[in-house]
Amino acid sequence: MVCIQESPAFRHGEYVKNYYGTLEIKYFGGGYLPVEFFFILSGFLLALKVDKSSENKSVFDFFLSKLKRFYPIYICALLIIFIYYSIINNAIIIEPINLLLEILILSTFYGPLNPPSWFLGVLIFDLPIVYFFMIRYKNLFYILSPYIVIFIYINILYQYKILDVWYQNYGLLTIGAYRGIAGILLGCISYKIYDKLKKNRLNKSVIFFIECICLFILLKIIFGAGRNINDFIVPFLFSILIITAFLPQIKYVSILNTKYISFLGNLTLSIFLNHWIVFQVIFRYLKFLDLKYLIIIYIILIISWSYFLNKVLNNILRKVFK
């Protein structure tokens, strides 16, 4: 386990964590729920890619492709947070075996140094598992997937009553790993539904009405009171919105495909992995400022920092692999 000293730096870290929780509940109660969107979208795009490919990669090659894409930014974020805690704050002592697990992205199964990295670890390990069953047992895969999704969500609901759980163990895996599998499978199911619907000319007004209802409920939950059983509606709302967004008669995808959205899209992973450490730094050294200014500074800094990291990493990788 990661051992944290009882130092002023750590106590301040706890203050920041508590402040973050207060801020989340007050302004963004369901701020943890968009993670489900990325699980579902990953599954949707995976199913789309498999469906359109004439020849699929081996599971090992698929795993390596994901690792090559995600690992550099992961290790960079890990290094930054390790330096911040261990050297600047002198607040964390981590045993060599746990540091090795962090480097191998296995710490996501007991609680990583950088809390947001649990999502990436789950994605890297869950996607190849889903991919294997999808290409090996395609028909059976789509028959069983809905039952597996419902089974996982019902079990989490029964055990915890909320969806925001990830490091707790449940059998051989953590709840986060099961959440990832459920989300990815729901994305695959969403693609199948989309594939059937796209051949029909659905009424645009009906689709628009459905989307408005889904968005209204979604925003009410995300900006609501926070962790409760309403969380379990959110994955299915995301599923509906992803399906409708990709339908031929809907223009959202082409509208969103602008250079500004693409720019932010390329930074999404870096923003997600670094948002916790940037938040801690800002709310530690600039806490004398008014909250609205802190939030503005935070948004500007996390985007700028993520852009800088991506630029540096891309230049390094280009030189290494040219």
Side-chain angles (χ1 to χ4, degrees), residues 5-6 8 13 20 42 59 79 110 122 142-143 155 175 212 219 223 246 253 259 268 311 321:
Q5 294 177 346
E6 286 296 330
Y20 180 81
S42 297
V59 176
L79 179 62
Y110 72 82
V122 166
Y142 282 107
I143 292 171
N155 266 276
I175 297 297
C212 287
L219 293 175
F223 288 93
F246 277 84
V253 174
K259 62 180 180 180
T268 301
K311 200 79 173 173
F321 293 105

Side-chain angles (χ1 to χ4, degrees), residues 4 14 17 20 35 74 77-78 81 85 92 102 107-122 164 166-167 272-277 280:
I4 307 178
E14 283 297 293
K17 185 177 180 181
Y20 180 81
V35 168
Y74 166 83
L78 174 63
I81 204 163
Y85 280 129
I92 283 185
E102 292 279 352
S107 64
T108 189
F109 298 108
Y110 72 82
L113 267 179
N114 186 18
S117 67
W118 78 269
F119 162 76
L120 184 61
V122 166
D164 187 29
W166 52 275
Y167 66 86
F272 184 76
L273 288 177
N274 288 284
H275 81 274
W276 174 246
I277 186 66
Q280 290 214 39

Side-chain angles (χ1 to χ4, degrees), residues 46-304:
L46 173 64
L48 173 64
K49 187 173 182 179
V50 170
D51 191 47
K52 300 299 180 185
S53 298
S54 56
E55 186 176 347
N56 295 308
K57 296 179 181 178
S58 68
V59 176
F60 183 71
D61 287 340
F62 178 83
F63 173 76
L64 285 182
S65 69
K66 297 302 173 188
L67 199 60
K68 183 179 177 182
R69 179 184 172 191
F70 296 142
Y71 191 73
I73 190 64
Y74 166 83
I75 207 70
C76 186
L78 174 63
L79 179 62
I80 291 166
I81 204 163
F82 181 76
I83 290 172
Y84 176 75
Y85 280 129
S86 298
I87 299 176
I88 297 176
N89 280 344
N90 191 29
I92 283 185
I93 301 171
I94 184 167
E95 297 174 6
I97 184 62
N98 290 330
L99 182 58
L100 178 62
L101 290 174
E102 292 279 352
I103 293 170
L104 296 176
I105 326 180
L106 294 175
S107 64
T108 189
F109 298 108
Y110 72 82
L113 267 179
N114 186 18
S117 67
W118 78 269
F119 162 76
L120 184 61
V122 166
L123 203 62
I124 288 175
F125 290 104
D126 280 3
L127 275 173
I129 294 171
V130 174
Y131 177 76
F132 168 78
F133 286 102
M134 183 187 291
I135 62 174
R136 192 75 178 267
Y137 310 102
K138 189 171 184 179
N139 293 331
L140 185 61
F141 173 84
Y142 282 107
I143 292 171
L144 295 179
S145 288
Y147 299 102
I148 296 172
V149 170
I150 293 169
F151 177 79
I152 290 174
Y153 284 139
I154 286 177
N155 266 276
I156 298 175
L157 174 62
Y158 177 75
Q159 293 285 337
Y160 300 98
K161 307 295 187 294
I162 59 172
L163 194 55
D164 187 29
V165 286
W166 52 275
Y167 66 86
Q168 295 87 343
N169 287 313
Y170 187 80
L172 296 175
L173 301 173
T174 60
I175 297 297
Y178 289 114
R179 271 177 68 190
I181 290 173
I184 293 167
L185 290 179
L186 182 55
C188 297
I189 297 165
S190 302
Y191 171 75
K192 274 297 178 184
I193 296 171
Y194 152 79
D195 194 44
K196 292 186 180 299
L197 291 178
K198 73 177 182 181
K199 298 167 186 176
N200 303 316
R201 300 301 298 177
L202 300 177
N203 188 290
K204 290 184 181 181
S205 299
V206 173
I207 295 174
F208 179 72
F209 177 75
I210 292 171
E211 288 179 323
C212 287
I213 295 295
C214 288
L215 280 170
F216 174 78
I217 298 172
L218 187 63
L219 293 175
K220 189 172 178 58
I221 293 172
I222 290 179
F223 288 93
R227 297 159 179 82
N228 55 58
I229 61 173
N230 292 332
D231 294 353
F232 294 88
I233 304 172
V234 170
F236 300 98
L237 296 175
F238 280 138
S239 172
I240 294 170
L241 291 171
I242 289 171
I243 291 168
T244 57
F246 277 84
L247 288 173
Q249 55 266 54
I250 304 300
K251 302 300 180 185
Y252 299 155
V253 174
S254 59
I255 291 171
L256 291 175
N257 192 22
T258 66
K259 62 180 180 180
Y260 303 109
I261 297 297
S262 298
F263 170 78
L264 288 175
N266 290 331
L267 299 181
T268 301
L269 184 58
S270 182
I271 288 173
F272 184 76
L273 288 177
N274 288 284
H275 81 274
W276 174 246
I277 186 66
V278 172
F279 187 94
Q280 290 214 39
V281 170
I282 286 178
F283 280 83
R284 176 178 183 179
Y285 296 106
L286 300 177
K287 62 181 179 181
F288 57 87
L289 293 176
D290 187 86
L291 179 61
K292 61 177 176 291
Y293 297 122
L294 284 174
I295 293 173
I296 292 170
I297 292 170
Y298 172 66
I299 292 171
I300 293 172
L301 188 58
I302 187 59
I303 292 175
S304 304

Side-chain angles (χ1 to χ4, degrees), residues 267 303-313:
L267 299 181
I303 292 175
S304 304
W305 178 244
S306 299
Y307 174 77
F308 170 76
L309 285 181
N310 273 20
K311 200 79 173 173
V312 170
L313 283 174

